[in-house]
Amino acid sequence: MAKIFYSMSGEGRGHAARVRTMVERLRPEHEMVLLAPDQAYDFLAPIYNNNAETPNVEVRRIPGLRFYYTRGRLDLSKSICCGFGFLAKLNGFAREMAETIRREEPNLVITDFEPILPKAASKTGVPVVSLNHQDFLLAYDLSTLPKTLQWYAWMMSFVVKAHHVDHAETIVSSFFTSPLRPGWENVTQVGPLLRKELEEAKTSEGGYILSYVRRSMPPQAIELLKTCDREVRVYGLGKQPDQGNLRFFDISEDGFVRDLAGCDAMIGAAGNQSLGEAIYLGKPVLALPEESHHEQMINSHFLRQMGVGDWSTIESFSKKHLASFMERLSQFRANLATFRGQINGNPTALAAIQRHLPA
């Protein structure tokens, strides 16, 4: 049995969902310490801490980067400014973490776009495996994107590099693939990492739409969903009374997977994880990225290039966009046949991690 330290970004659902997928496959044979900030800690701690069924998994809270919102919209300037404040303290955080590593002696460090743990591991000689989505900004040829998004990817590559140390392995999990740039040929490309419940889900078309949204979703976008010609099941805004054809649900792993597997299509946030899960299950997606959330804008462009959905910025989302998407569901479903059930990244990612564990 090896001891593994595994850290992740705390922003959004995708990082924690990827981590949990790998933890469930590693924990039967290994001891796991999960290091999570913010939303990721809030998601994982109730699952693993003080759970008699997972005695070899512990979740600890750490500081982390996060997005900030002003009047319901992503505030890029504030997020960047606060990010610089966090990075100014990074070396101090890493020194403290290095002491923990020396004391507890993990055999391997895995990180999902979190900078403290890998920097600490580099000070102590523990091998580091990077498994995330964001490294696509460094490794992938993005020449098919609009110039503005190519420029953003170039700018953000400096932020991604700030998370890097010498990795024993770099694994990029993404619902889309791309040729690798020169110098990145050794990157392992895998599909989305899928929970067992989602891998085994039986799909159907239940006559309703699933909408997975952030709490910052503007009220006018919610009003537009009311014009849909079928029931819309909304996750992300908490449980509340029905509004016309809208039904609101608390985030529930079982409930969300069940409703995703049974929906006609998904409308909402453009995170890599949620898009990958929908595509794996053969569900067309209307992505609604925030115009200042450039990573989700990039994801949305690849979604359209694959022909399995469409997108509009959430700020410009209109009845026309919704109607056009609904009219093309059969076309999107036909294109999804190439990807449905075929883009599971679990086996390749797990094999790559196991190469770096003690025999």
Side-chain angles (χ1 to χ4, degrees):
M1 176 179 284
K3 176 181 281 190
I4 301 171
F5 276 20
Y6 200 150
S7 70
M8 71 217 74
S9 169
E11 185 64 38
R13 166 177 165 268
H15 301 276
R18 279 195 297 270
V19 168
R20 189 177 181 208
T21 296
M22 288 293 100
V23 168
E24 287 303 299
R25 284 152 181 81
L26 291 166
R27 71 175 175 84
E29 299 180 5
H30 305 291
E31 181 181 353
M32 313 284 297
V33 176
L34 311 184
L35 302 158
D38 299 324
Q39 295 175 32
Y41 178 87
D42 295 338
F43 173 66
L44 293 171
I47 295 171
Y48 292 117
N49 286 351
N50 303 312
N51 184 342
E53 296 181 1
T54 59
N56 58 332
V57 182
E58 178 188 359
V59 186
R60 302 176 188 173
R61 188 185 292 276
I62 60 171
L65 291 161
R66 59 176 299 188
F67 291 133
Y68 289 87
Y69 288 79
T70 300
R71 292 186 293 278
R73 297 183 63 180
L74 178 63
D75 190 327
L76 201 56
S77 297
K78 184 176 180 181
S79 297
I80 291 172
C81 182
C82 292
F84 280 128
F86 171 81
L87 291 175
K89 301 175 182 177
L90 180 56
N91 286 334
F93 293 145
R95 283 194 297 271
E96 293 177 12
M97 184 66 70
E99 289 304 312
T100 300
I101 290 174
R102 292 187 184 101
R103 183 171 62 252
E104 300 189 28
E105 299 182 335
N107 302 100
L108 180 68
V109 156
I110 308 173
T111 181
D112 189 324
F113 200 55
E114 190 285 317
I116 297 173
L117 181 62
K119 288 189 179 297
S122 71
K123 298 176 183 291
T124 59
V126 178
V128 178
V129 171
S130 172
L131 170 53
N132 64 40
H133 174 60
Q134 283 73 19
D135 275 348
F136 86 89
L137 292 165
L138 299 174
Y140 282 19
D141 179 352
L142 302 176
S143 58
T144 61
L145 292 175
K147 293 295 183 183
T148 53
L149 288 180
Q150 290 186 49
W151 179 85
Y152 163 79
W154 176 77
M155 288 292 293
M156 284 303 295
S157 69
F158 294 99
V159 176
V160 177
K161 285 176 183 175
H163 288 65
H164 270 239
V165 298
D166 289 334
H167 293 154
E169 181 109 26
T170 298
I171 309 166
V172 176
S173 171
S174 179
F175 72 89
F176 58 87
T177 59
S178 166
L180 295 171
R181 289 175 172 164
W184 293 91
E185 293 87 354
N186 291 330
V187 165
T188 300
Q189 296 186 75
V190 304
L193 305 182
L194 304 172
R195 291 162 290 164
K196 181 179 180 181
E197 298 86 350
L198 198 134
E199 284 183 289
E200 299 175 349
K202 304 295 187 225
T203 59
S204 62
E205 293 171 16
Y208 62 89
I209 300 298
L210 176 70
S211 184
Y212 174 64
V213 300
R214 289 177 175 268
R215 287 194 174 274
S216 57
M217 188 174 188
Q220 60 267 30
I222 292 292
E223 291 300 312
L224 278 169
L225 292 179
K226 293 180 182 178
T227 68
C228 190
D229 63 357
R230 60 199 79 184
E231 176 188 330
V232 181
R233 300 183 183 181
V234 182
Y235 283 84
L237 300 180
K239 181 67 176 174
Q240 53 184 282
D242 295 352
Q243 297 181 28
N245 64 323
L246 306 188
R247 297 179 62 200
F248 297 86
F249 296 85
D250 285 327
I251 291 293
S252 156
E253 284 194 275
D254 292 341
F256 181 82
V257 170
R258 182 178 59 249
D259 283 343
L260 179 58
C263 72
D264 294 347
M266 185 174 82
I267 299 174
N272 171 69
Q273 187 67 27
S274 58
L275 295 182
E277 291 175 354
I279 292 168
Y280 176 80
L281 294 176
K283 303 300 179 179
V285 180
L286 177 59
L288 301 176
E290 298 170 87
E291 61 186 17
S292 54
H293 198 312
H294 298 89
E295 184 187 315
Q296 290 204 359
M297 292 283 285
I298 291 172
N299 291 341
S300 300
H301 274 274
F302 278 106
L303 176 79
R304 180 183 285 170
Q305 285 180 23
M306 292 165 66
V308 297
D310 206 351
W311 67 274
S312 161
T313 64
I314 199 165
E315 293 85 359
S316 63
F317 181 41
S318 69
K319 191 173 182 178
K320 178 182 70 174
H321 293 123
L322 179 59
S324 174
F325 172 70
M326 297 300 293
E327 289 169 2
R328 290 181 289 159
L329 287 184
S330 59
Q331 172 191 334
F332 295 137
R333 289 194 187 105
N335 294 339
L336 278 160
T338 304
F339 308 100
R340 182 174 180 173
Q342 302 299 312
I343 58 170
N344 186 348
N346 295 352
T348 306
L350 189 60
I353 290 170
Q354 288 174 331
R355 285 198 291 268
H356 303 282
L357 289 170

